[in-house]
Amino acid sequence: GENVEQHPSTLSVQEGDSAVIKCTYSDSASNYFPWYKQELGKRPQLIIDIRSNVGEKKDQRIAVTLNKTAKHFSLHITETQPEDSAVYFCAASMSTGANNLFFGTGTRLTVIP
Amino acid sequence: NAGVTQTPKFQVLKTGQSMTLQCAQDMNHEYMSWYRQDPGMGLRLIHYSVGAGITDQGEVPNGYNVSRSTTEDFPLRLLSAAPSQTSVYFCASSYSSANEQFFGPGTRLTVL
């Protein structure tokens, strides 16, 4: 099955700085890569996703890049705010079978005011 | 639209007891899944269903059963609870698995 690795496990940044979280995946057939944000005690919620026919996608302060050759994708948050503090999960979905999502182990982001 | 709902929110079991975690969605989604979330291990897929009457195993299916008799409901059964099943359980649904998955609020289960 798919194996998704995520780094770093924890990340602290000053408010206004940028944050970058990186993920790698093992199956070259994977073609859907979502990012979820989970606040303390809450459910995961999708913040952005990218498909293999696109190299970069932006939504306001959030961007995701995908390098299919190297099998890695990254989440970029610019101008961080305290409300960005949460755990972020990357995931990858294989294009065969039921297309189940395989999640990374998460990054706890702390934005220091 | 209630989205994805789960009951109960909290549960404490003794080793060997059985129970069912309930999950329902009102978005007419075909794909539903159950994950467990443990510290430092992310979300791991237990079982999933691509439609009513169809279920299959995920990464960590041992000790759990599921059924999908309707599009709306996808209960997860713990057959004989073990301390290793202490976790937070999330149910999710989506139009298909390669699209946004909507998560329920979770059930925090403790097995003593």
Side-chain angles (χ1 to χ4, degrees):
Chain A
E2 175 68 277
N3 182 45
V4 179
E5 296 190 355
Q6 182 172 348
H7 300 282
S9 57
T10 61
L11 179 61
S12 291
V13 299
Q14 293 288 334
E15 182 178 358
D17 287 350
S18 296
V20 180
I21 303 170
K22 298 181 179 181
C23 289
T24 61
Y25 61 99
S26 60
D27 192 321
S28 57
S30 291
N31 64 355
Y32 174 62
F33 307 93
W35 286 88
Y36 285 82
K37 175 183 180 181
Q38 186 179 29
E39 297 176 350
L40 188 62
K42 301 291 181 65
R43 71 191 80 187
Q45 292 189 299
L46 181 76
I47 54 171
I48 195 167
D49 58 14
I50 191 168
R51 298 184 187 274
S52 62
N53 58 340
V54 176
E56 183 176 5
K57 183 177 179 180
K58 289 184 179 180
D59 183 3
Q60 299 182 335
R61 297 186 296 109
I62 294 173
V64 57
T65 58
L66 171 65
N67 183 328
K68 285 221 72 182
T69 303
K71 290 189 285 188
H72 67 71
F73 56 113
S74 301
L75 178 71
H76 304 253
I77 306 174
T78 59
E79 300 173 18
T80 54
Q81 301 168 4
E83 51 264 39
D84 295 328
S85 295
V87 178
Y88 292 81
F89 292 97
C90 62
S93 173
M94 297 171 63
S95 62
T96 57
N99 300 338
N100 294 316
L101 281 179
F102 293 84
F103 284 84
T105 50
T107 297
R108 181 174 300 278
L109 173 65
T110 302
V111 179
I112 304 166
Chain B
N1 239 0
V4 181
T5 59
Q6 289 182 240
T7 56
K9 290 186 177 179
F10 302 94
Q11 183 70 50
V12 179
L13 293 177
K14 294 181 180 178
T15 296
Q17 288 185 313
S18 62
M19 78 159 295
T20 299
L21 307 185
Q22 301 292 344
C23 174
Q25 52 91 10
D26 60 359
M27 296 175 282
N28 202 31
H29 286 163
E30 291 295 326
Y31 183 89
M32 295 186 74
S33 54
W34 276 101
Y35 296 89
R36 59 177 290 172
Q37 184 174 34
D38 302 295
M41 301 189 74
L43 293 145
R44 292 183 294 168
L45 183 66
I46 304 171
H47 284 286
Y48 65 95
S49 169
V50 298
I54 306 169
T55 64
D56 207 343
Q57 297 180 350
E59 297 174 79
V60 288
N62 292 340
Y64 308 95
N65 274 353
V66 291
S67 60
R68 184 97 179 267
S69 56
T70 67
T71 299
E72 294 77 21
D73 300 298
F74 191 43
L76 178 72
R77 298 184 187 84
L78 278 70
L79 308 173
S80 177
S84 61
Q85 293 178 304
T86 294
S87 188
V88 178
Y89 291 84
F90 286 100
C91 178
S93 76
S94 62
Y95 176 71
S96 74
S97 59
N99 284 282
E100 177 179 3
Q101 293 205 23
F102 294 85
F103 285 83
T107 295
R108 184 174 294 275
L109 175 68
T110 301
V111 182
L112 303 175

